[in-house]
Every structure is written in structure tokens, then in C-alpha cells.
Amino acid sequence: MDFNHIAKKWQSQWESKKIFEVKEDSKKKKSYVLQMFPYPSGTSLHMGHAKNYVIGDIVARHKRMLGFNVLQPMGYDAFGLPAENAAIKSKSHPKVFTDIAIKGYIQQSKALGLSYDWSRVLATCYPDYYKWNQWFFLKFYERGLAYKKKAPVNWCNSCQTVLANEQVEQGKCWRCHNEVSIKQLEQWFFKITDYAERLLQDLSLLAGWPERIRTMQSHWIGKSEGATIFFPVKDSKEKIEVFTTRPDTIYGVNCIIFAPEHPQVLELVKGTSYQAQVHEFINKVVIKERFKRGDEDQEKEGLFIGKYTVNPLTKEELPIYIANFILLDYGTGAIMSVPAHDERDFAFAKKYNLPIKTVIQKEGLNCVLVHGSPEKDQSKEPSDIPQNQKPWYVWTKKKLEECGYKVTLPLMPKSWLPDYADWKREFEKTEVNEKSVLIGHSAGTAFLVRWLGETKRKIKKLILVAPGKISSHDRVKALYDFKINKEIKKLVDEIIIFISNDAQHHIDSAKLYEKELDGQLIEIENKGHFRTSNMGMGEFPELLEKILDRSTAYTDNGILINSGSFNGLSTQKAKSAVIKELQAKKIGAAKQHYKLRDWLVSRQRYWGTPIPMVYCTKCGIVPVPEEELPIKLPEKVEFTGEGNPLAKTKDFVNVNCPKCKSPAKRETDTMDTFVDSSWYFLRFCDPHNNNAPFDKDKVKYWMPVNQYTGGTEHAIGHLLYSRFFTKVLHDMNMLDIEEPFVNLFNQGMLHKDGVVMSKSKGNIITQDEISQKYGIDTGRWYLMSVASPDKDIEWDDKGVEGSFRALNKIVALIENAKYTAKEERIEAKMHKTIKEVSETIESMTYNMGLIKLMEFVAYLQKQPAITKESVEVLIKLISPFVPHLAEELWEMTKHKGFVCQEDWPKYNEKKINPKIDAAEELVENTTSDIQAVLNLVKIKPKEITLFVAEKWKYPLFKKLHQEENRDFSVLMKKFADKEHGQDVGKIVQQFMKGALKTDIFLSPEEELDALQESKSVWEKQFGAKFHLVHADSAKEPKAKQAIPGKVAILIK
RNA sequence: GCAGGGAUGCCGGAGCGGUCAAACGGGAUAGCCUCAAGAGCUAUUGGCUCAGUGCCUUCGAAGGUUCAAAUCCUUCUCCCUGCACCA
């Protein structure tokens, strides 16, 4: 069969009969299937493009056969830079390039066999389309959603235009990958930020979108909840407004930091001695290091500006800084620095030696300190303090409690004669958990190490001060005589050992612990054995430092400490409590902040929609009246490559003011092409409307898009803008819906030689190549068969040939078919296939669908004769995938009309008979078992006898299947019978190992029948005579090996 | 760093608690067909075993849950994708 020929044949028939053209039909359920429309570049479509469209086309064709009224249109995103750049290069006009490209694209889309309604084709570069861009612009302007402002914008020097934030990728232009710079320009913006909250909230409605895309959008919108707080400047009426997400940490503020370019900075520094330095710093960061500023590991740098502010709650005086890591356009451009609980502030404070105050503590932290053993009983001595009340213990306890710790200092019984069991009893009165810090001093260390090794408890930290272990004293033997359990290492996050100029056996003990437990050994000078006499005032800051661990900022939630009346509150509660207090004092308020910026839509290029605005010296900015639309792009324009050609086209620029009629100038900026693509799916519903962008009722019928297919690269740009437009139009009462795309599918890329297939990589396979060699159906089949459509796939010429073979197999099957009347087994298989293929189409796992189809083909091939119905069903099932072949086969099998207009086959669950499956499986297993045995014995078989298992085994199997118990002896008691005692034992054993199939569908007779049917096939295949026997009536011992679902095999 | 997705036999790629030594395709090997090549068909393609349809070891690594783990949980390693000094 000439696949290429039939493709053309059916394409022209579909076209002439207009069978994919649709109208609204209130009686029919609609389905709108759409693929992201392409930018028509000069080069031809390749198989990578094809993949996207075919995925959607399969959905459309399937839905159509299911009886839906299917709208599947195609259009061209025709404005844009490449055409203009090409025009500059060849001194031509972008329209010329674009028209040619569109023509080529249409012709190639048709050649792919895509079932588009071509009567609706559109291209955004024609005035009947872009007129409505302008119309929307005016409407947005009326609603305050389009506005002009001077702003620092992203400027791409090679594209000679500004870019939206969404078009800047890692500081580079999305199109040409040149470094983007910042320019101050007057530009038009769409106020997408007004919709930030709705765009975020409604993501939850998009259950049919990939999780990934929703997360990306939500990150892009970047909502953070927090507060703005006013910090008064000392000796001034000025205030500094900061934004923070952690108002709960306000007691921990150590300074206020501005973005260097913040306008307030210059005012504040005025008149101080820091003025010159500050200017220099700003210049350095903002101008010289402009591009470095966003770099990953940019060193944090800052400068004090000579002024102070006051913490409005604590009244503490705080210095004011500027620093390079503070961004002007996020929040208020100024922050309150809380080094203890923010990593950046922490790094900054460390670098400039600023105070760090902890105000949040992890919940449930606790500490137990175990004292040592004195040489004699001192408790009777009136001058002595109790063992657990030594000054540095008490000091540490107090300090830790200030930080929210619960501290216990147990008093060990008879400490001068320590006994492990006694100590343990006392020690365990205190709760120890994973957040515990255990500190031992001297003999206390031995106790803790022994206790941990014995109980294997998980704790946070173990700190050993002047440890004891090695000792010649008999007095401490009852405590010291144990083996160090190295497992402790795994149970404790951190082990620290303090040692000083102590007695040798303590130093040796310290070394021992260091070695055995991988402890961190810290030597401190002149503290001896850390006795009261060695410790002076009894302060032990080194220890405190290690317990508190201030080497990093603690950024998690916790409990407030050092925060006045807020102490003890959780982070969550404290946030609202602090905000409440700020509000009451009118020095702050709750505030949500979004990362999303307004959408910059101005472009300084020719090949786009002119922005319908006029500048009048008297009236200012004047919108062009609706009746004057479209403002057409002037055709006679010179493309020099320098600046915006529109600005130099006098006929275009010079107009009269619509209001006062005096001479005025036209806006020469054009719109971002993403404006075009933000509503094209609406225009498809009513593409030829001259009075409005679309008719409300038509859109109401078709929208929303049921299945949208496209690449991930549009995850935030196009998909976010389209959602924004839809919401605005909803608010303008033009749409009922709030979300344009119900289901979104991201197809995987097509790779070749390990990289994405693209013209610029020079690794494209064109669809023409494939069409000519194999026909486009082979290409469609191949693209869908390699992997599930969402996966990236690698092009493989050998794989294409495999697909070609598959199609030929289908053709051969139908060409050589011998027909028979109804056949139950074929019917069962058929219904099963219908079910499976339908399911794979619904779930868009087409690769599995094709496998199921080929299994069905292989099955039919094996049959001596097949049914007409099964062939009909097969043709219908393949038709979404290989539509041309399906039509051809449909015609070949003497059917009228188009198979693509037939009803999708329905399956009948009742006809899917598990017995037939089981019988088939039995035959397949038996075949491979015979084969396996033959391979083993390597003899030429003359006779092969198959034994079906003895009758009594069947009910036993059923019972075993229902049995939950897995205890051998119990099962045996239950199932053993006198006659088959040993055999039951074997079977039960096998069953418990899970070696037996559990579902038994066939009786011995049915098994025999199934085998009987394959007998002739086997005899031919193996060249031996086959005997089929009931094991019950067999004498051969072999027969006993048969079990239900598995025959015994005897070969002679 | 954060978020999302991965890691499966020679390769691509299914599977996502028992029916799994793991679909399907490609490649490789052997056989059939043929004058021959190609196409087509059949078998094999982790190891062991070779009167038997079994046993052993495998699904990134290590632990765990379970009668049962490629599949569930925990930790780790590596890869991809996106975001990234966002207060």
C-alpha cells in the first residue's frame, strides 16, 4: 500500500467535504481542542512540531467519534522580531516573509492530517485581528488597567526593545540571549498586579493542569504575607517603611537596611559626614556592579549612613545601613534586619560585627546537667553548697532559661560513692527526648555515656566537661566500670568535650571519648577541673555558646523569647499579636506582597500591534477613538535596523489630536506579541466578526478550551497572560468563564542526537522526509509509540521502521482476512481491546494504546478466520492515530463514508469473559513451558502428553485463595485430608511462598477444552503428537505435578 | 538553597503492593523460508540448572513496614527542569 498516496487522497477528500468544519449546535455537547499556535518562522515544520499537533489531533478525533461537536482550529502567532530582522537583513518587508511562512505552515499542517477547521484560520498580523488588540487596549485603559509610567525596564540592546519580566531569563533576553540592561523609560504597562490574588487563588480551580505549571505560576506570583512597619528616624519627623514577613521577630531587629538606590537614602545622609562615602557606594553597587548584583554568591556589602532609627516597640536605637543585597523593587526597598532569624541578615551582621539577638526559640528544648562526684560526703559541712548548685551550673541554667530552655540539675544520691543504678533512678525522673542537650561534668560524663549506651536514647547534643572514665579510684568503680557503646555516635547529633589543664586521667579520658565517640574536643585554658575554685565568677560562656549554637540563623517557627509581653507566644500567634499592636499604635499594618510585577507591553519595534494612543501637547495622552480602529501599520517603511522604523515614518506619527484636533504625535511603540496570544483562543470561536472581537454567545458555547496542548516554555508567560485577559474580559462582562483552559497538557520534546530537535541545532527531520519514505501515518504512529506523550523522546530511524512494519501488519491482516460468523473468543478480546484503547486515549498514554492495538492485531493474525465486526472495530480504533490508513482500510472493506465520522466503538463489560482470558493464558503458559522443557532436554519429541490437574485440587485452591491465615500448621489442620495428605502439604507450602496463582477461573474440563483447541497448532509447531489427559485417570506419576492453571508435561 | 520530575535488563521505555526475571519496541544470536539478499515467521537474549515448567541474584544506594516490595515509608547519591540575595 502506498501510504503517501493515500494520505494525499484522504486529505483532499476531507478538505473538499469540509468534514472538520463546525458550527455551534446547542443540541450537541461541544469539545474545544487546541494546540498552542506557532510562530510561523521561515523554516518548515519538523517532526518535533508534529508531535505537539498530533497529540491534540488524537484527542479531537476521538472526541468527534464519541459524538462531541469538536472545535479544533489553527492559527499563526505572526507578529514578532524574527520576521522584522529578516526584513532588515534583506531590505524587504516582514509581511512578505510572514505570508510565505504562513502559507507553508498551512500546507504542512494539512499534510500531517490534522483535523482542523480551516475556515477559522487566523494570523495575528492582519488588521482584522490586531484591530481587537487595540480595542482591548482602549478598554483596559478605560478601566485603569493600561497605564504609562517611567520605570527602570529591561532593555535588550540587540533586539532594540524593552522586555517584560517574564521575558528575561537569568538576566538574558529570552529570544537572543543577550545580556539585558536596565533603562529608565516611559512605557506602557498592563496592571496584572490588580489580579495577582485572583490569579493565585484560581490556580486551585485548575485541577486539569500539571502540578508543575501551577507551582511555577504560584511562585511567579509570589505572594508573601507580612506587615509594613514604620520606623521613626531619630531626631527627625521622617519615617522608614519596611516590609517584613516576620513581624514576630521585631524585638530582634539590630538595624534598618535600605536598598542603595532608595530615594530616602540621599535625604537621610544629607548633612552627615557619611555623605561622600554613601554616594560612592551607591554608584558602585547600582552602576558598576549592576550585573553582578543578582549573582549567586555575591558578597554582602553595606555601609552605615550616619543616621539612627528607633525600634517602635522596644525603643532601642538602631543604626541605618544601605546594602547591596536589598532590592529596591521588592517590598518597600527597606528592611528590618533580624540576624538571629534570617540568613542574609545573619551574614551581614557577622561581617559588620552587629549584635545578634535571639528572639525565637525552637519549641520544647531542654537541658539536663549531671554533676560530678566529690571525694567525700560534704553534705554535712555547713559551708558547702549542694553538688548540683555550683556557680557555673546555676549561671548556665539562668542563661538557658532566658533562651526558652527548660533546665534540670538533678542531685545524685550519695554522689561521693556513685552507684550507676542509684544515679540512673534519680536521673530518669527527668524527661529526655530528641531535643535534649545532656551535659555531664566529671563523673557525670561517665554516667551519661554509660546511660546513653545502655538505653540507646536519641538526643540532640551531648556535652562532656572535664570527663571521667579512666580512674584508679575504687570509689568510682561502680560508675566507671563499663564499655563505651559506639552506637551513641548515631544517636546524638553533636558530641562536644571540654577539657582544660586538668589531672592527667581526665585528659586521658577526654582523649578516649574523642576517639571512641568522634567527639569534638575543645581545650580551654586555665580552668583546671572546672571546679568552683577554677571558675572564678562561675561564668562559662564557651559552654553556653555550644549549647545555643549561634553559627547559623534559626529561620523556622518557634516560641518567642526576649520579646517583652510577647514572650511565650508561638510564631503564628505572635505575628498577629505584633501586627495588632502596631496597628493600635498606628505604626504598621498587615500587608500582602506579591512578586508579580505589572506587565510591560511596550515594544520599540515595527512588527507588532500599534498602541492606539496619541500625544497632544495640549490634551496630554489621548486614546484613539474606537471608530478609528484599526490603526494600521504603515506599509511603506524603511527597515534600517536602527531604532523603531515607525518613529521615522512621518505619515504615521503626525496626526491631529482626537480631542482638540491640533497637531499631535502618535505613540510609536507596538504591543508585546504576548498580547496577541492572550485571547486568540476566543477569536477562534468567531473568527470573522467585524463588529466585535467575538460574539458572546458563540464564545459561551465553545469556551473554555477543553484540552490545551503545548510546551512548558509558556508556563508563566503566555499561560499567565491568557488567564489575566480572561479574568479582565470576565469583569467586562464579555465572558462568563474565569479560566480559559480546563485541561493543559505539556508534551515532551523530540530529541535527536541527544539534543532538542530544532532548526538552529541543525538536527531536524522534516515531515516531508518521513511522508515520502513511509507516509505520514507512520510518522504519527512512531511519535506516539515511543513513550507516553509527556516524555521527551529520542528520534530513532530504526524505531520508525518498526512503526512502518506495524502498519503493514495491520494492512496485511485486513487484506488477507478470512471471515467467519460470530466467535465468542474474538468478541471477548475485541471488547477488552476497545476498553483498553479507550482508556489510554482518555489518559493520554497513547503509547500503551498502540501496544494494546498491536496485541489485538497479533491475536487476530493467529486466528484461522476473523469476524467482520472485529475488523471494523480495529479500523475505528486506529483511526485517531493513523487517520489516512484508517480511511483507506474503511473503504477497502466496503464501507461508505468516512471512518472519522463513525461512532467510537462501545465495549460491553459482560462480554469481556475472564474465562476466555484464563484459557488463553493457560495455552500461552503451556506453550512456553513445553518450549522450556524442550530446551532443557534437547530431544526431538515424538509424543507430548499434557495432564490437567486432579479434580480435588480445584476446590482446595479456591479455599486457599480466600484464606487470610498464613500459618502453615493452621492451614494444614484446616485443609489436610486423609487421601491427599502429603500433596496438600506441598501445595500449601507453595501457596505460602506466593508461587501459586490465586485466581482460578477454569474447571478441569474447561482447561481441557482450551488445550484441545490449541492441539493442532502445537502439533504443527512442535512436530509431535499431543495427548490430553485428566490426571485423575492417568497412571503416570508425572500427572500428579499438575495443578490448576498449570498442566504437567510428559515428553517422549 | 527552594520547588517539581526522574534513576528499571544491551538500548529506548511500560509497570507503581502479590498474577514480575519485569509489557512493547529497537538491537543481538540461532533456526525456518529463499539460488542468494531483503522482507516475513519462530525461538533465545540476568545467572545457575538441564526430565524438567524450578532455584538464585536483579528495577540508583542503604535501612524500614509487610506473610509479600521495582511498587509503600525513611535517609542518602546522582541526573534533569524551573525559580533564586523576594525580607
Side-chain angles (χ1 to χ4, degrees):
Chain A
M1 188 175 282
D2 182 345
F3 290 124
N4 197 16
H5 171 75
I6 62 166
K8 282 179 189 143
K9 169 179 161 189
W10 291 103
Q11 281 157 16
S12 74
Q13 290 215 29
W14 290 331
E15 186 157 8
S16 64
K17 301 250 167 73
K18 301 185 173 181
I19 62 171
F20 302 125
E21 292 188 14
V22 284
K23 280 199 203 88
E24 300 75 48
D25 179 352
S26 58
K27 276 174 256 139
K28 264 175 118 181
K29 268 187 152 175
K30 68 92 188 182
S31 184
Y32 187 173
V33 180
L34 186 68
Q35 297 97 53
M36 288 180 187
F37 68 166
Y39 174 78
S41 70
T43 56
S44 58
L45 289 173
H46 57 70
M47 295 310 281
H49 297 115
K51 192 179 173 212
N52 182 6
Y53 304 130
V54 171
I55 289 168
D57 192 46
I58 290 166
V59 176
R61 287 176 175 276
H62 178 234
K63 289 275 179 201
R64 207 173 280 125
M65 290 176 79
L66 284 172
F68 285 87
N69 194 21
V70 174
L71 171 60
Q72 192 187 212
M74 181 40 69
Y76 299 94
D77 189 13
F79 270 139
L81 273 181
E84 188 171 343
N85 290 341
I88 292 166
K89 228 178 177 178
S90 63
K91 305 227 183 290
S92 168
H93 196 283
K95 188 171 185 304
V96 178
F97 282 91
T98 309
D99 285 345
I100 293 171
I102 290 176
K103 243 181 223 164
Y105 268 46
I106 291 177
Q107 181 259 320
Q108 286 189 308
S109 299
K110 286 180 179 171
L112 266 172
L114 303 170
S115 57
Y116 294 140
D117 177 351
W118 285 110
S119 72
R120 293 169 188 261
V121 66
L122 60 82
T124 56
C125 63
Y126 298 127
D128 61 345
Y129 185 87
Y130 70 68
K131 171 182 177 180
W132 303 109
N133 284 343
Q134 295 169 340
W135 189 83
F136 284 127
F137 194 99
L138 295 177
K139 295 291 166 194
F140 278 37
Y141 185 74
E142 276 171 31
R143 311 191 125 237
L145 290 172
Y147 68 95
K148 199 170 194 195
K149 74 167 178 196
K150 188 164 189 172
V153 295
N154 308 301
W155 174 263
C156 175
N157 205 38
S158 96
C159 296
Q160 286 283 308
T161 186
V162 298
L163 300 170
N165 285 326
E166 288 79 358
Q167 292 165 338
V168 181
E169 294 166 351
Q170 271 138 23
K172 299 195 169 140
C173 173
W174 68 304
R175 203 184 270 286
C176 68
H177 303 291
N178 263 333
E179 203 65 68
V180 168
S181 57
I182 306 293
K183 262 196 177 183
Q184 288 279 340
L185 287 174
E186 280 253 323
Q187 299 284 298
W188 286 99
F189 289 87
F190 280 167
K191 213 167 180 188
I192 192 171
T193 50
D194 272 9
Y195 284 76
E197 185 61 28
R198 275 165 74 187
L199 288 168
L200 182 69
Q201 287 305 321
D202 289 353
L203 284 174
S204 65
L205 304 176
L206 301 176
W209 283 36
E211 179 74 34
R212 236 160 63 78
I213 305 292
R214 284 189 288 162
T215 328
M216 280 163 84
Q217 290 215 352
S218 132
H219 285 332
W220 187 260
I221 295 166
K223 179 177 182 174
S224 41
E225 301 234 27
T228 51
I229 304 173
F230 289 96
F231 282 72
V233 177
K234 199 188 158 206
D235 305 324
S236 154
K237 279 184 184 164
E238 256 190 89
K239 282 179 174 152
I240 302 164
E241 187 184 10
V242 305
F243 174 71
T244 179
T245 54
R246 294 295 299 271
D248 55 310
T249 61
I250 188 161
Y251 276 70
V253 178
N254 69 340
C255 64
I256 291 295
I257 315 177
F258 276 109
E261 60 271 59
H262 195 290
Q264 228 176 334
V265 172
L266 293 178
E267 286 171 44
L268 287 172
V269 79
K270 217 176 266 174
T272 71
S273 58
Y274 294 85
Q275 204 166 351
Q277 290 174 16
V278 166
H279 277 276
E280 193 185 319
F281 183 85
I282 295 172
N283 195 39
K284 182 179 142 204
V285 172
V286 182
I287 310 291
K288 286 189 201 150
E289 294 179 357
R290 184 169 65 195
F291 300 120
K292 266 207 261 167
R293 212 170 151 191
D295 283 1
E296 287 172 47
D297 301 316
Q298 175 79 335
E299 173 88 11
K300 288 185 177 37
E301 269 187 274
L303 190 68
F304 175 57
I305 65 166
K307 285 273 174 76
Y308 291 86
T309 172
V310 177
N311 184 323
L313 291 191
T314 66
K315 305 296 176 202
E316 279 170 286
E317 201 169 279
L318 306 168
I320 301 174
Y321 278 77
I322 52 176
N324 60 350
F325 67 99
I326 306 302
L327 307 174
L328 180 66
D329 61 353
Y330 188 80
T332 60
I335 63 140
M336 59 180 218
S337 161
V338 186
H341 307 294
D342 181 282
E343 275 162 34
R344 293 151 300 164
D345 297 346
F346 183 84
F348 189 74
K350 278 274 170 197
K351 178 161 179 180
Y352 293 100
N353 263 323
L354 299 168
I356 297 172
K357 181 175 159 198
T358 304
V359 293
I360 306 286
Q361 189 57 261
K362 206 178 193 171
E363 242 172 300
L365 291 178
N366 64 82
C367 176
V368 187
L369 199 157
V370 180
H371 61 75
S373 167
E375 283 174 19
K376 57 184 171 76
D377 181 3
Q378 296 167 322
S379 60
K380 301 291 183 306
E381 296 174 21
S383 65
D384 196 54
I385 51 166
Q387 281 302 318
N388 63 341
Q389 298 297 317
K390 287 182 184 167
W392 69 264
Y393 296 179
V394 177
W395 179 85
T396 306
K397 182 172 195 260
K398 185 174 156 259
K399 288 286 175 187
L400 285 177
E401 279 171 351
E402 282 171 14
C403 291
Y405 275 78
K406 188 183 163 203
V407 184
T408 320
L409 304 174
L411 181 61
M412 293 309 181
K414 282 203 287 182
S415 51
W416 59 95
L417 260 179
D419 176 76
Y420 176 71
D422 288 350
W423 281 39
K424 184 179 174 187
R425 217 170 300 123
E426 180 63 32
F427 178 78
E428 286 184 348
K429 286 179 187 166
T430 306
E431 201 209 319
V432 171
N433 58 36
E434 290 183 18
K435 289 176 185 167
S436 299
V437 176
L438 300 187
I439 306 166
H441 179 207
S442 191
T445 62
F447 170 77
L448 286 177
V449 173
R450 186 168 175 181
W451 183 82
L452 278 172
E454 194 184 288
T455 59
K456 293 179 184 157
R457 296 287 288 275
K458 276 195 175 179
I459 61 161
K460 188 161 170 255
K461 272 183 204 181
L462 174 65
I463 301 178
L464 308 177
V465 182
K469 175 78 178 87
I470 298 161
S471 174
S472 50
H473 294 288
D474 281 350
R475 183 174 58 81
V476 290
K477 230 179 175 172
L479 180 57
Y480 281 22
D481 199 9
F482 71 99
K483 194 170 177 296
I484 298 170
N485 186 343
K486 289 191 176 187
E487 265 184 67
I488 295 173
K489 283 190 266 186
K490 283 185 207 149
L491 301 168
V492 184
D493 288 352
E494 202 178 0
I495 299 173
I496 297 157
I497 305 160
F498 282 99
I499 191 77
S500 188
N501 53 328
D502 208 343
Q504 192 58 42
H505 67 269
H506 286 298
I507 293 173
D508 292 343
S509 298
K511 294 260 163 72
L512 181 69
Y513 286 131
E514 182 191 18
K515 193 176 147 231
E516 295 285 304
L517 299 177
D518 288 339
Q520 180 197 351
L521 191 67
I522 299 174
E523 291 184 54
I524 302 182
E525 280 177 26
N526 296 323
K527 294 288 186 240
H529 190 54
F530 297 87
R531 285 194 181 85
T532 303
S533 56
N534 310 124
M535 292 295 281
M537 292 295 288
E539 293 187 359
F540 195 170
E542 298 91 343
L543 174 66
L544 192 67
E545 210 44 52
K546 281 294 164 191
I547 301 170
L548 292 178
D549 186 16
R550 287 173 169 146
S551 60
T552 53
Y554 177 73
T555 56
D556 278 351
N557 289 349
I559 299 292
L560 267 72
I561 55 170
N562 299 323
S563 297
S565 61
F566 300 105
N567 277 347
L569 292 180
S570 69
T571 295
Q572 273 318 313
K573 283 185 183 158
K575 277 181 181 172
S576 43
V578 169
I579 289 171
K580 211 171 158 192
E581 171 110 8
L582 293 170
Q583 261 160 348
K585 293 187 172 167
K586 296 202 163 51
I587 46 175
K591 166 104 182 172
Q592 289 86 43
H593 192 268
Y594 301 89
K595 273 198 266 182
L596 184 70
R597 294 279 93 99
D598 276 338
W599 175 12
L600 170 54
V601 294
S602 296
R603 295 294 179 276
Q604 288 71 47
R605 297 297 297 241
Y606 168 83
W607 197 227
T609 306
I611 291 174
M613 289 288 166
V614 168
Y615 300 100
C616 170
T617 41
K618 287 180 200 156
C619 312
I621 298 177
V622 183
V624 172
E626 239 177 77
E627 314 80 70
E628 287 180 27
L629 299 184
I631 306 299
K632 287 194 187 171
L633 278 172
E635 297 245 352
K636 280 189 186 165
V637 169
E638 223 185 308
F639 294 98
T640 58
E642 279 164 34
N644 181 354
L646 281 183
K648 287 183 243 161
T649 309
K650 291 203 174 98
D651 294 351
F652 180 79
V653 176
N654 297 322
V655 285
N656 291 330
C657 168
K659 252 191 199 166
C660 70
K661 306 298 172 202
S662 57
K665 302 258 184 228
R666 222 182 253 298
E667 170 66 82
T668 58
D669 281 357
T670 53
M671 292 183 212
D672 181 3
T673 57
F674 276 104
V675 175
D676 312 349
S677 54
S678 293
W679 67 282
Y680 78 108
F681 43 90
L682 299 169
R683 183 69 178 175
F684 276 137
C685 301
D686 189 13
H688 307 298
N689 196 327
N690 287 323
N691 307 314
F694 49 81
D695 177 76
K696 198 181 168 185
D697 286 336
K698 286 185 177 172
V699 163
K700 192 173 177 177
Y701 178 76
W702 290 116
M703 285 298 286
V705 174
N706 299 80
Q707 183 63 58
Y708 197 31
T709 309
T712 336
E713 66 272 22
H714 293 114
I716 34 191
H718 164 59
L719 287 171
L720 191 65
Y721 298 144
S722 298
R723 295 182 60 221
F724 166 60
F725 253 70
T726 304
K727 288 186 191 309
V728 176
L729 300 195
H730 168 89
D731 293 352
M732 285 164 65
N733 201 24
M734 294 179 72
L735 287 178
D736 289 340
I737 51 161
E738 287 231 40
E739 285 292 339
F741 314 122
V742 179
N743 293 301
L744 175 69
F745 186 83
N746 282 131
Q747 88 278 14
M749 298 279 208
L750 178 60
H751 293 231
K752 186 162 185 294
D753 311 321
V755 287
V756 176
M757 185 177 284
S758 77
K759 169 79 178 176
S760 61
K761 298 263 166 34
N763 60 350
I764 59 167
I765 303 281
T766 63
Q767 57 178 74
D768 289 344
E769 283 172 59
I770 299 303
S771 290
Q772 271 161 31
K773 211 163 167 190
Y774 306 104
I776 198 59
D777 279 337
T778 300
R780 287 176 65 123
W781 184 282
Y782 171 70
L783 289 173
M784 295 304 112
S785 70
V786 183
S788 68
D790 58 318
K791 289 257 167 70
D792 288 352
I793 57 170
E794 172 75 22
W795 181 266
D796 176 15
D797 291 326
K798 286 274 172 37
V800 182
E801 299 207 5
S803 299
F804 187 59
R805 276 200 287 275
L807 296 194
N808 280 303
K809 232 181 244 187
I810 296 172
V811 173
L813 171 75
I814 293 174
E815 275 179 342
N816 306 326
K818 285 197 196 88
Y819 291 109
T820 175
K822 240 185 172 168
E823 166 88 56
E824 203 191 342
R825 288 190 345 217
I826 293 179
E827 209 179 16
K829 186 82 184 171
M830 184 184 86
H831 282 278
K832 199 172 168 212
T833 306
I834 297 172
K835 183 181 179 191
E836 287 167 342
V837 172
S838 304
E839 281 168 0
T840 60
I841 295 182
E842 300 280 355
S843 64
M844 299 188 83
T845 48
Y846 301 144
N847 56 324
M848 291 312 288
L850 300 186
I851 288 169
K852 299 296 177 195
L853 278 170
M854 286 320 285
E855 274 174 16
F856 185 45
V857 170
Y859 177 81
L860 292 178
Q861 245 173 353
K862 275 191 232 150
Q863 307 307 314
I866 57 179
T867 62
K868 279 228 151 82
E869 194 193 7
S870 65
V871 169
E872 269 175 27
V873 164
L874 175 65
I875 296 172
K876 287 178 183 175
L877 292 182
I878 62 169
S879 73
F881 303 99
V882 283
H884 315 95
L885 175 61
E887 296 292 359
E888 186 69 16
L889 293 172
W890 192 246
E891 188 186 64
M892 205 173 91
T893 48
K894 311 259 184 308
H895 290 89
K896 295 239 155 58
F898 295 100
V899 66
C900 65
Q901 289 182 311
E902 291 288 318
D903 286 339
W904 187 254
K906 288 191 182 69
Y907 66 89
N908 182 347
E909 194 77 54
K910 283 181 196 142
K911 298 244 167 108
I912 304 173
N913 186 345
K915 282 196 173 183
I916 289 174
D917 262 353
E920 206 181 300
E921 204 177 327
L922 175 72
V923 169
E924 272 170 30
N925 289 343
T926 306
T927 310
S928 65
D929 286 347
I930 296 170
Q931 192 64 248
V933 176
L934 283 176
N935 288 345
L936 288 172
V937 295
K938 290 181 183 126
I939 56 164
K940 273 208 171 155
K942 288 197 189 81
E943 284 182 43
I944 298 178
T945 314
L946 304 178
F947 301 96
V948 170
E950 293 134 291
K951 283 203 175 64
W952 65 269
K953 290 181 178 167
Y954 289 78
L956 173 62
F957 265 58
K958 281 212 172 117
K959 279 184 210 151
L960 274 173
H961 178 39
Q962 286 153 8
E963 193 53 60
E964 304 243 315
N965 200 317
R966 300 284 157 156
D967 186 319
F968 182 73
S969 57
V970 172
L971 288 177
M972 278 310 289
K973 257 179 221 158
K974 211 164 173 179
F975 295 113
D977 66 68
K978 286 173 223 150
E979 211 185 328
H980 314 288
Q982 278 203 330
D983 293 323
V984 174
K986 269 187 206 161
I987 289 171
V988 171
Q989 253 175 347
Q990 272 182 293
F991 173 74
M992 296 212 314
K993 277 198 295 188
L996 298 188
K997 290 186 53 154
T998 44
D999 296 323
I1000 303 301
F1001 293 108
L1002 300 180
S1003 70
E1005 286 71 29
E1006 284 164 335
E1007 285 194 14
L1008 211 57
D1009 286 347
L1011 298 171
Q1012 188 67 43
E1013 292 202 30
S1014 302
K1015 196 173 158 186
S1016 59
V1017 179
W1018 279 330
E1019 293 193 331
K1020 216 168 137 195
Q1021 181 179 347
F1022 296 107
K1025 194 146 177 53
F1026 272 69
H1027 305 283
L1028 308 174
V1029 185
H1030 269 299
D1032 292 294
S1033 54
K1035 290 182 203 92
E1036 291 88 342
K1038 180 111 282 171
K1040 283 201 156 190
Q1041 288 186 353
I1043 53 171
K1046 197 156 192 126
V1047 299
I1049 303 163
L1050 181 66
I1051 297 176
K1052 277 183 193 155

